[in-house]
Amino acid sequence: MSPSVRLQEMIRVIRSARTQGEERGVIQRECAAIRAQFRQADNGGRSHNLAKLLYVHMLGYPAHFGQMECVRLIASPRYNEKRVGYLGAMMLLDENQDASLLITNSIKNDLAHSSQYVQSLALCTLACMGSAEMCRDLAPEIDRLLRASSSYIKKKATLCAVHIVRKVPELGELFTPAARALLAEKNHGVLHGAVILITELCERNAQTLVQFREAVPELVHIMRGLVTSGYSPEHTVAGISDPFLQVRVLRLLRILGRNNDTASDAMNDLLAQVATNTDSSKTAGSAVLYETVLTVMDIKSESGLRVLAVNILGRFLLNNDRNIRYISMTSLQKIVSTDHNAVQRHRGTIVDCLKDQDASVKRRALELSLALVSAINIRSMMKELLLFLSTCPPELKSHAASGIFNAAERYSPSQRWHIDTILHVLITAGADVRDETVPNLIQLITNASQLHCYTVHKLYRALVADISQQPLVQVACWCIGEYGDSLLQQGECEETEPIQVTEDDILDALETVLQSHMSSPATRGFALTATMKLSTRITENVDRIRSIVSIYGSCMDVELQQRAVEYNALFKKYDHMRAAVLEKMPVMDRSSMGQTNGESGGGGVQELEPTKPKQPEMVVAPQPASQVCDLLDLLGDPDEPSLLGGPLGPGGAPLGPAGLMPGSAGGDLLYLLGGLELTPTPTPATAPAAVTVYDKSGVVLKLSCERPLDASQTITLTATNTSDHDISSLTLQAAVPKNVQLQMKAPSGDSLPARSSAVVTQTVLLNNPNKVSLKMRVRLSYTSQGSPFQDTVQIDSFPTPGL
Amino acid sequence: MRFMLLFSRQGKLRLQKWYVPLGDQEKRRLGRELVQTILGRKAKMCSFLEWRDLKVVYKRYASLYFCCAIEEQDNELITLEVIHRYVELLDKYFGSVCELDIIFNFEKAYFILDEFLLGGEAQETSKKSVLKAIEQADQLQENIDFQMRLFPAPS
């Protein structure tokens, strides 16, 4: 074994090792030597050995066998050994190690040592790694030292007390009296520590906070002294008197002045003075100004002072130093909600910071820009944000994308703009958007019915250009499936350059998506379903679609396979249903988007109970949505949501039935407006008073009410056929004014033989909580002599029972 | 302050002072990752970064990076001043300090740090006082060393 070398020699040897292996070898030898030395009796070199071990530890090698040696050295009477022992304790022992408890007694003894340097070692170690238990044991000692005569010890004891309070908050009460007294100290070190201690005490205990509010004048006095006179030259940094102390005092003032008028008033003048007199050309001054601004914005300051503070931040924003700009944006972020207009004034500079090279500055600028978006500046801000999105670092992309979506949702000036924006985001950052973006966008598109042509053209173009962005591809596939016919028709779409798109082109695009390895399974599902939907929208290439679908009947992916097999079945066995099954989707209401099977419709006022629901893509749409729109438009004004819930805007804008209406693959038409129950409730045979509301071509419709005209009532509609022809597929649809709720029960049947006394009854439940004047419009549809009939009747007055 | 790290441009740790209780493994992992993150930053970038849930302030002096992780409510700019003050202390003590001084006298660097910061907070805001205290502690140590050389402890 080589003789153990002095510390510096060892370091030299380790550093000269040329490879990692060589270094490991040297270190292993040294550690072995050190271990041997530890086992031996005291030979005067113990501190050197421990120091060597600490060096080795810093390089990353295990050194736990040195823990006991630390404990031993701390207990040694010699200062040099204690010094290294305590250093070792701070490096190798933490409160989770068992050995740390062993030094408690040594620390206790050293706290009472005659030499202040030994005391200092003990205080330093306790403040660095003292566990809660150690703190509890030694707190009384610390308290005693807080009143000691030497400022050297007092300042260290104060910070030790800070550590104790952080570890064991209950002990705060022990230190409060001493802390109060320490504010009278002249020594900066002690004062600094005292201010920190008081800050910790006030943050943890409300009563202490109230107590220390009385100290505000004293603190103001201290600050004034620092700011005005050259209080002490040895504490000055770049012309600022003790910036460390100033910053801490300002922070304490902030805590004391928060939510308290008297305290805030007392410090107003001082803050104004600091804000105006502090020279911010160097970091020290800026640090003080920064703290001042934070304090001003947090307490109940005068408006003039607040304006001053925001102006300071504005100045910081223009500073050449990047750090200062960053700080300024951090502060502006804190006040953007309370002083929005003031911050808006600096919007230009903030937006410029989006282009900064530094990622931290970019992040801050992004946060702030998103907070500053408003209805007025949405267009210009969005331009900047989208530009940012294309160049921003990857860790910010997802945040930026969701921020843009939120902003677009809240302030978009038009639907087309909204759709454009979302598309842009999907194209630039598609991989980073959240999952719910796809259904949200689909819902948005369906709501913007006049933009379908434009949207599908745009999406088609995007799809052809790039199929790697999954969310974009999914939305594109869905739209092409739904609105493929618009894509094929030329000249209809004014808003964009029409391009020649043939059926083959569309199918090519979809097939590319299906076959590409970049497409996720979900995306391929979208593409397959879209292809299938096109079979009803296009005319020539249905065979091609059939072949695509049958190929995927043997696909490895179970989901795709199932879909393909079902679609195949639609082609073969159920071809007559294909058109109905693949009809256009109704407009979806946002609240119904995430529904699972069996839940009733949300958002709308009415309750719907879907039966036998299937996957959303397979949903049957009843009569095209536009017809229902007519019915509703006739009643009440269209500005507010009608009975069906969902937005109803002027000019053919979205309509929203309160829920999806799934259907079985049968021929039954479903009631868009009425609830459908699995078991039809028995309708009352005759209502007390029936009024004929409709009588044409032999079809008679009567209406009766069961209860007096109050908030809720039951209405029965009875239909009879006195004509010469059979009537089948009879359906009744009803609409009522807004604020009235309607629920239609299942009809008793849907056919009326000619000239019979057979009746079809249907019960309608109305709830009129606002007691608006009740009106109802009923539409009858039926098939007679092979052709469909439809008629509408408006009922303005309802019979009261008993009449 | 939660911790302070000094490391070279190659990522070698020269000093680490932890004020929060963490296991050895944890400290090593955290240190390594933070060092890599900072070394990955370009020259003129901001001195502040948000890393995990920490606020980190760092500055490069010649070949050494000085990096501090501070609390949420701490003032970043004053932390820069703290770092600068520490460098000044080292400079005064070693006389134009360079990285080698800190490597070969790492325990002295720690002693100086412990005389300036206590429990993560600045204990003395006067440069003169800190240097004086260290000088006197060194003197004490020298005396003891001298004594021990003259009168070695009985083995």
Side-chain angles (χ1 to χ4, degrees):
Chain A
M1 192 177 5
S2 59
S4 84
V5 295
R6 289 174 56 84
L7 171 64
Q8 297 196 339
E9 293 269 335
M10 183 194 82
I11 296 178
R12 203 165 290 129
V13 170
I14 292 175
R15 279 171 62 79
S16 60
R18 271 159 301 179
T19 66
Q20 184 76 7
E22 213 180 304
E23 181 185 285
R24 244 195 308 252
V26 172
I27 288 185
Q28 262 175 346
R29 276 201 306 276
E30 284 302 327
C31 284
I34 293 169
R35 252 191 296 240
Q37 294 280 337
F38 284 169
R39 281 195 290 266
Q40 286 179 15
D42 179 14
N43 55 6
R46 285 160 75 193
S47 57
H48 291 301
N49 286 320
L50 186 59
K52 279 193 265 181
L53 183 60
L54 293 178
Y55 181 78
V56 163
H57 171 77
M58 193 154 60
L59 290 177
Y61 294 91
H64 41 267
F65 59 88
Q67 288 176 3
M68 285 315 293
E69 188 67 11
C70 292
V71 175
R72 250 175 268 138
L73 280 180
I74 287 173
S76 152
R78 296 193 205 116
Y79 176 69
N80 56 347
E81 291 180 349
K82 271 195 203 290
R83 217 180 183 193
V84 179
Y86 275 115
L87 179 63
M90 286 191 273
M91 284 176 77
L92 300 180
L93 295 174
D94 56 77
E95 62 181 42
N96 301 322
Q97 309 283 348
D98 298 324
S100 64
L101 285 174
L102 299 172
I103 63 175
T104 315
N105 208 34
S106 298
I107 294 183
K108 189 162 186 187
N109 292 334
D110 284 339
L111 284 176
H113 203 277
S114 50
S115 161
Q116 62 176 3
Y117 298 104
V118 173
Q119 284 178 305
S120 146
L121 290 174
L123 285 166
C124 184
T125 309
L126 183 60
C128 178
M129 45 78 71
S131 65
E133 219 175 295
M134 286 163 74
C135 289
R136 270 194 212 102
D137 280 342
L138 298 168
E141 299 296 314
I142 303 298
D143 188 49
R144 196 175 50 78
L145 288 172
L146 275 181
R147 305 165 211 269
S149 52
S150 146
S151 17
Y152 183 74
I153 293 301
K154 261 199 268 209
K155 76 187 184 197
K156 293 179 191 256
T158 318
L159 287 176
C160 209
V162 168
H163 175 83
I164 293 177
V165 169
R166 283 177 182 160
K167 269 276 184 283
V168 188
E170 302 88 60
L171 289 171
E173 287 171 9
L174 176 63
F175 297 119
T176 311
R180 186 72 182 81
L182 285 171
L183 268 187
E185 287 283 327
K186 291 279 176 276
N187 180 294
H188 279 230
V190 181
L191 206 45
H192 186 258
V195 172
I196 299 179
L197 179 59
I198 296 173
T199 311
E200 291 291 327
L201 292 172
C202 291
E203 273 176 345
R204 283 175 170 72
N205 188 320
Q207 279 165 327
T208 321
L209 176 65
V210 170
Q211 200 185 335
F212 274 106
R213 279 216 183 99
E214 298 157 30
V216 168
E218 225 174 310
L219 291 165
V220 168
H221 179 76
I222 293 171
M223 270 302 286
R224 220 182 278 278
L226 288 172
V227 173
T228 49
S229 60
Y231 200 24
S232 178
E234 74 184 65
H235 295 111
T236 307
V237 178
I240 311 287
S241 254
D242 208 339
F244 304 103
L245 183 58
Q246 286 198 34
V247 163
R248 290 312 312 216
V249 173
L250 285 167
R251 192 159 137 188
L252 179 56
L253 285 174
R254 180 156 82 238
I255 295 171
L256 296 175
R258 211 180 265 156
N259 292 329
N260 185 292
D261 288 319
T262 4
S264 304
D265 283 337
M267 49 180 95
N268 243 311
D269 287 339
L270 169 75
L271 293 172
Q273 195 179 8
V274 176
T276 32
N277 288 351
T278 309
D279 168 29
S280 61
S281 50
K282 292 282 166 69
T283 314
S286 302
V288 173
L289 271 184
Y290 174 43
E291 200 72 32
T292 313
V293 166
L294 288 180
T295 303
V296 167
M297 302 315 289
D298 216 7
I299 65 172
K300 297 200 175 247
S301 46
E302 291 171 357
S303 58
L305 195 53
R306 284 184 97 88
V307 169
L308 185 58
V310 178
N311 286 346
I312 292 177
L313 289 180
R315 241 176 40 224
F316 276 0
L317 210 49
L318 299 166
N319 196 307
N320 282 330
D321 188 343
R322 207 174 248 130
N323 293 336
I324 309 279
R325 285 210 296 276
Y326 177 88
I327 289 297
S328 150
M329 283 197 280
T330 314
S331 319
L332 286 170
Q333 185 78 39
K334 294 193 183 127
I335 63 172
V336 74
S337 39
T338 46
D339 296 74
H340 192 93
N341 291 331
V343 184
Q344 277 281 8
R345 249 179 276 136
H346 302 285
R347 200 182 75 236
T349 329
I350 294 171
V351 165
D352 280 337
C353 287
L354 280 173
K355 305 191 188 85
D356 198 296
Q357 298 285 354
D358 184 301
S360 311
V361 174
K362 271 196 168 85
R363 182 194 297 265
R364 286 268 148 257
L366 173 66
E367 296 272 2
L368 214 43
S369 304
L370 289 174
L372 287 176
V373 172
S374 73
I376 311 165
N377 57 32
I378 177 73
R379 281 188 195 267
S380 51
M381 286 297 277
M382 196 49 82
K383 235 187 306 216
E384 297 288 343
L385 287 170
L386 288 174
L387 196 61
F388 173 73
L389 190 64
S390 44
T391 55
C392 80
E395 63 265 14
L396 290 178
K397 265 208 160 92
S398 152
H399 186 68
S402 46
I404 289 175
F405 284 150
N406 286 339
E409 213 173 288
R410 285 167 68 191
Y411 301 113
S412 62
S414 75
Q415 281 190 315
R416 180 176 155 179
W417 184 93
H418 195 173
I419 291 177
D420 278 343
T421 308
I422 300 190
L423 285 180
H424 193 133
V425 175
L426 286 181
I427 293 172
T428 3
D432 298 295
V433 299
R434 287 202 310 262
D435 291 335
E436 59 256 25
T437 313
V438 171
N440 282 348
L441 180 57
I442 289 179
Q443 187 251 329
L444 197 64
I445 291 175
T446 56
N447 279 341
S449 44
Q450 78 282 21
L451 290 171
H452 285 166
C453 186
Y454 166 76
T455 314
V456 73
H457 272 270
K458 222 166 156 189
L459 282 168
Y460 174 74
R461 256 189 286 250
L463 185 66
V464 165
D466 172 24
I467 59 168
S468 60
Q469 306 272 38
Q470 298 307 299
L472 182 65
V473 172
Q474 287 173 3
V475 176
C477 288
W478 191 91
C479 283
I480 291 174
E482 274 294 303
Y483 310 121
D485 42 349
S486 309
L487 196 55
L488 292 167
Q489 288 158 1
Q490 301 311 317
E492 249 196 38
C493 192
E494 309 104 12
E495 305 199 34
T496 176
E497 288 287 315
I499 52 170
Q500 278 284 69
V501 182
T502 65
E503 295 179 0
D504 274 317
D505 289 334
I506 304 183
L507 289 172
D508 281 340
L510 288 173
E511 255 192 299
T512 319
V513 173
L514 270 171
Q515 290 162 357
S516 163
H517 63 277
M518 287 191 280
S519 304
S520 69
T523 311
R524 294 167 82 194
F526 270 89
L528 188 62
T529 306
T531 314
M532 189 60 195
K533 282 190 201 170
L534 283 175
S535 70
T536 52
R537 318 256 199 272
I538 64 176
T539 45
E540 285 156 37
N541 288 1
V542 184
D543 283 334
R544 184 172 167 189
I545 295 182
R546 286 187 75 148
S547 62
I548 294 176
V549 165
S550 58
I551 289 173
Y552 279 90
S554 44
C555 174
M556 290 300 284
D557 184 291
V558 176
E559 169 72 22
L560 276 181
Q561 192 187 100
Q562 178 181 356
R563 289 190 190 203
V565 166
E566 286 177 0
Y567 295 154
N568 240 340
L570 263 185
F571 268 121
K572 297 209 173 86
K573 223 169 108 184
Y574 297 100
D575 202 32
H576 55 284
M577 287 196 243
R578 193 157 48 89
V581 169
L582 298 173
E583 265 187 3
K584 284 226 171 98
M585 291 280 285
V587 178
M588 289 176 256
D589 183 36
R590 174 165 289 237
S591 53
S592 66
M593 290 303 300
Q595 282 181 15
T596 53
N597 301 340
E599 275 177 31
S600 52
V605 173
Q606 192 177 1
E607 289 183 299
L608 299 179
E609 283 135 36
T611 55
K612 296 209 213 71
K614 293 209 179 140
Q615 292 168 7
E617 281 88 279
M618 292 286 286
V619 165
V620 176
Q623 297 303 323
S626 48
Q627 286 197 10
V628 183
C629 195
D630 300 348
L631 193 62
L632 292 172
D633 269 344
L634 302 170
L635 279 172
D637 60 294
D639 300 281
E640 286 192 42
S642 70
L643 79 165
L644 291 189
L648 185 70
L655 214 230
L660 293 177
M661 287 302 298
S664 46
D668 292 332
L669 286 174
L670 296 168
Y671 299 97
L672 189 64
L673 307 169
L676 191 68
E677 286 181 338
L678 286 173
T679 54
T681 50
T683 53
T686 43
V691 172
T692 305
V693 293
Y694 174 82
D695 187 353
K696 243 189 234 172
S697 324
V699 180
V700 178
L701 189 66
K702 292 200 177 93
L703 181 146
S704 62
C705 303
E706 274 218 305
R707 282 211 290 271
L709 287 170
D710 60 357
S712 74
Q713 54 182 321
T714 313
I715 290 179
T716 312
L717 292 165
T718 315
T720 44
N721 178 14
T722 53
S723 73
D724 290 343
H725 306 282
D726 293 352
I727 284 179
S728 58
S729 311
L730 174 71
T731 58
L732 296 168
Q733 292 170 305
V736 288
K738 59 185 191 287
N739 300 332
V740 180
Q741 295 157 2
L742 173 96
Q743 185 179 7
M744 291 183 87
K745 303 286 186 191
S748 60
D750 72 340
S751 58
L752 292 168
R755 270 182 267 113
S756 72
S757 53
V759 293
V760 165
T761 48
Q762 185 161 19
T763 315
V764 179
L765 298 174
L766 288 176
N767 190 12
N768 183 7
N770 298 355
K771 302 269 188 19
V772 303
S773 71
L774 200 55
K775 293 195 221 297
M776 194 156 83
R777 192 166 282 236
V778 177
R779 179 194 276 147
L780 297 113
S781 327
Y782 58 89
T783 310
S784 173
Q785 292 171 293
S787 16
F789 280 86
Q790 216 181 59
D791 209 344
T792 322
V793 59
Q794 176 144 348
I795 305 163
D796 290 319
S797 59
F798 286 77
T800 49
L803 288 174
Chain B
M1 193 184 298
R2 300 217 187 156
F3 58 85
M4 180 189 271
L5 301 174
L6 264 70
F7 53 93
S8 71
R9 280 221 289 243
Q10 286 76 39
K12 285 208 116 98
L13 221 52
R14 299 297 175 208
L15 186 147
Q16 48 172 334
K17 188 79 187 181
W18 295 81
Y19 295 107
V20 287
L22 284 175
D24 232 12
Q25 286 271 53
E26 184 72 28
K27 283 184 199 170
R28 263 191 259 281
R29 197 176 51 85
L30 216 68
R32 223 185 0 248
E33 284 174 26
L34 183 55
V35 166
Q36 288 312 313
T37 310
I38 293 181
L39 287 176
R41 284 168 76 86
K42 293 198 278 276
K44 287 254 172 38
M45 288 176 98
C46 193
S47 281
F48 314 127
L49 65 135
E50 277 145 49
W51 183 76
R52 307 269 176 91
D53 53 340
L54 297 170
K55 285 212 292 199
V56 174
V57 179
Y58 75 96
K59 193 150 181 202
R60 200 184 113 212
Y61 288 85
S63 60
L64 266 186
Y65 284 86
F66 287 71
C67 157
C68 298
I70 56 178
E71 305 284 346
E72 186 61 42
Q73 328 88 293
D74 285 340
N75 184 324
E76 293 96 323
L77 291 172
I78 210 72
T79 312
L80 273 178
E81 285 298 313
V82 166
I83 292 177
H84 191 73
R85 175 57 65 88
Y86 182 47
V87 173
E88 285 179 328
L89 289 168
L90 289 170
D91 194 55
K92 220 36 196 281
Y93 183 83
F94 288 109
S96 285
V97 68
C98 64
E99 192 183 341
L100 281 178
D101 289 323
I102 301 186
I103 295 172
F104 281 96
N105 299 289
F106 73 96
E107 81 276 21
K108 301 236 173 56
Y110 274 103
F111 296 149
I112 297 172
L113 185 62
D114 284 339
E115 207 53 56
F116 173 44
L117 299 179
L118 199 94
E121 308 283 351
Q123 57 179 287
E124 180 57 67
T125 53
S126 152
K127 206 162 40 174
K128 215 168 71 173
S129 303
V130 177
L131 289 168
K132 194 155 134 229
I134 296 173
E135 206 184 293
Q136 291 186 329
D138 277 350
Q139 196 71 35
L140 184 58
Q141 171 151 345
E142 238 179 73
N143 291 344
I144 308 251
D145 275 344
F146 186 61
Q147 273 179 11
M148 281 176 64
R149 248 178 279 133
L150 285 187
F151 309 107
S155 47

